[in-house]
Amino acid sequence: QQQVKQSPQSLIVQKGGISIINCAYENTAFDYFPWYQQFPGKGPALLIAIRPDVSEKKEGRFTISFNKSAKQFSLHIMDSQPGDSATYFCAASKAGSARQLTFGSGTQLTVLP
Amino acid sequence: EAGVAQSPRYKIIEKRQSVAFWCNPISGHATLYWYQQILGQGPKLLIQFQNNGVVDDSQLPKDRFSAERLKGVDSTLKIQPAKLEDSAVYLCASASLGGGEYGYTFGSGTRLTVV
């Protein structure tokens, strides 16, 4: 019930294209869903996050779409750039857990120039 | 503000040896986490501190791993004795107000290789 499943494992996109990464969760107690971006040799950095009371959140070129009934959420990167090449992790946490994060397995994104 | 500092950046040890990692969180962050990230996987929580007390260590392999947070600031994570499967990046994170969107910052990690 704590698992967060992420797909695809790897993704190659042309510059200017749209990158889409999907996650599904099982535990309905999760109430906070962040996405983290990780570059080689660095720790994960918070990119964008959403709570289940909204279906979409947009920050610049990054958008989270959230489907509470399907227990799925996704990250869309518009106008993908080579600098976006990194590993992306979805995560989830629940109130009362002192915000421990349960991470997905990661998606390695490569944006070709 | 300064980020989460971790040292060393890299460590190579033989199996059955011991190793220790150090973390200095962001000033004022009460909550400190240690995560283990095995190559190709997402980070997995090992232990969580609130100030200098342990909140959750249910996923810490206590027969070989130990951790402490000195005076509610710096923290050390120790492995003794190390096994081959402990090869991973050990990430420290700190947070204010319980973490989440209120500020959850990771350090760059310590990459441990056990040979």
Side-chain angles (χ1 to χ4, degrees):
Chain A
Q1 277 243 315
Q2 293 292 328
Q3 197 172 14
V4 177
K5 295 183 180 180
Q6 183 172 346
S7 63
Q9 186 175 357
S10 62
L11 181 62
I12 300 174
V13 174
Q14 292 287 340
K15 178 182 176 181
I18 302 174
S19 304
I20 301 175
I21 305 171
N22 301 300
C23 283
Y25 63 97
E26 299 171 352
N27 191 340
T28 55
F30 287 143
D31 67 347
Y32 175 67
F33 302 89
W35 284 88
Y36 280 78
Q37 179 188 55
Q38 185 175 30
F39 292 103
K42 300 293 185 182
L46 179 64
L47 191 61
I48 186 173
I50 197 168
R51 291 193 175 274
D53 53 346
V54 297
S55 59
E56 184 175 283
K57 183 175 181 179
K58 183 176 181 179
E59 290 183 0
R61 297 185 293 108
F62 301 91
T63 300
I64 299 178
S65 296
F66 188 85
N67 186 329
K68 187 175 181 178
S69 61
K71 294 188 285 186
Q72 296 176 346
F73 58 109
S74 60
L75 175 69
H76 296 234
I77 306 174
M78 312 300 288
D79 187 27
S80 298
Q81 299 296 313
D84 297 331
S85 297
T87 300
Y88 293 81
F89 293 95
C90 61
S93 71
K94 58 183 179 178
S97 67
R99 292 303 172 194
Q100 297 169 11
L101 292 172
T102 299
F103 283 86
S105 54
T107 296
Q108 187 168 349
L109 172 65
T110 302
V111 182
L112 301 176
Chain B
E1 62 181 1
V4 176
Q6 289 189 247
S7 66
R9 288 298 312 275
Y10 306 93
K11 191 74 177 178
I12 300 175
I13 62 172
E14 295 182 350
K15 60 183 179 183
R16 292 188 289 274
Q17 285 186 326
S18 63
V19 64
F21 314 125
W22 173 81
C23 172
N24 180 239
I26 291 174
S27 178
H29 279 191
T31 308
L32 186 147
Y33 311 81
W34 282 100
Y35 280 81
Q36 179 192 56
Q37 186 176 20
I38 294 173
L39 185 64
Q41 299 181 18
K44 172 189 166 188
L45 180 72
L46 291 175
I47 188 168
Q48 178 185 349
F49 293 92
Q50 184 83 16
N51 296 310
N52 62 349
V54 175
V55 173
D56 185 354
D57 63 358
S58 59
Q59 299 183 73
L60 188 72
K62 298 181 189 62
D63 59 333
R64 298 183 300 106
F65 286 65
S66 64
E68 62 179 359
R69 189 173 183 194
L70 305 174
K71 300 180 181 179
V73 182
D74 293 4
S75 178
T76 57
L77 176 69
K78 297 180 182 178
I79 308 175
Q80 182 178 9
K83 293 185 176 181
L84 295 176
E85 59 261 36
D86 297 332
S87 294
V89 175
Y90 291 84
L91 295 163
C92 178
S94 70
S96 59
L97 296 176
E101 67 260 57
Y102 300 111
Y104 200 115
T105 305
F106 283 91
S108 294
T110 296
R111 180 176 295 278
L112 173 67
T113 303
V114 182
V115 297

